[in-house]
Amino acid sequence: MNAQPELADKIRRYFAIHTAAQLIPEIILMPGGETVKNDESHFNRLLDIINQYSIDRHSYVAAIGGGSLLDMVGYAAAVSHRGVKHIRIPTTVLSQNDSGVGVKNSINYFGKKNFLGTFAPPVAVFNDDQFY
């Protein structure tokens, strides 16, 4: 959010106009980089939010960020209710060419990279080379 401090407000305004979808009351902020995959508290927090807001297989979870964040959110979506639909919005050059368009989802566990994971394609990828 440091790079785009107005992003949360833009998202809220968009969903206020386009009422076909309902946005949960809070936009969840998480760290980027491997930190989000190394510390399982971020994964558990996302599972708690999915549960708290009754997000199910008819719902969507959208992730905006780099590859590590997209991996973790995709994994949480894939293991919740046997697969909540997820949308990936990659914001780094690497994620726009790798995790943003891929089907791999994971977190690091036991100190091992990508130890827990799934293969679950996103329902949509918004790959905007102007997003920075």
Side-chain angles (χ1 to χ4, degrees):
M1 289 305 265
N2 292 339
Q4 300 240 359
E6 73 289 344
L7 184 59
D9 288 334
K10 286 181 178 179
I11 292 169
R12 286 184 190 96
R13 284 194 305 270
Y14 177 88
F15 281 95
I17 295 168
H18 300 88
T19 57
Q22 182 180 359
L23 194 62
I24 65 170
E26 60 183 311
I27 292 177
I28 313 307
L29 300 179
M30 296 198 168
E34 286 294 307
T35 300
V36 78
K37 289 176 62 170
N38 286 332
D39 183 348
E40 67 187 78
S41 69
H42 302 296
F43 171 73
N44 290 332
R45 178 175 168 231
L46 186 51
L47 292 181
D48 287 341
I49 291 165
I50 289 170
N51 180 54
Q52 174 186 351
Y53 290 109
S54 301
I55 295 170
D56 62 19
R57 293 174 46 196
H58 304 288
S59 308
Y60 294 85
V61 172
I64 302 171
S68 294
L69 178 74
L70 298 179
D71 281 0
M72 187 279 290
V73 173
Y75 180 58
V79 299
S80 299
H81 297 289
R82 295 188 200 162
V84 172
K85 293 176 272 195
H86 70 284
I87 298 169
R88 294 177 180 226
I89 305 169
T91 59
T92 65
V93 172
L94 182 58
S95 67
Q96 288 176 339
N97 291 293
D98 181 30
S99 68
V101 295
V103 300
K104 300 177 289 182
N105 309 284
S106 64
I107 60 172
N108 304 333
Y109 206 76
F110 296 128
K112 297 177 182 174
K113 186 159 177 62
N114 302 325
F115 185 83
L116 296 176
T118 63
F119 290 99
V123 295
V125 176
F126 299 110
N127 206 350
D128 182 354
D129 66 356
Q130 299 300 308
F131 197 119
Y132 52 90

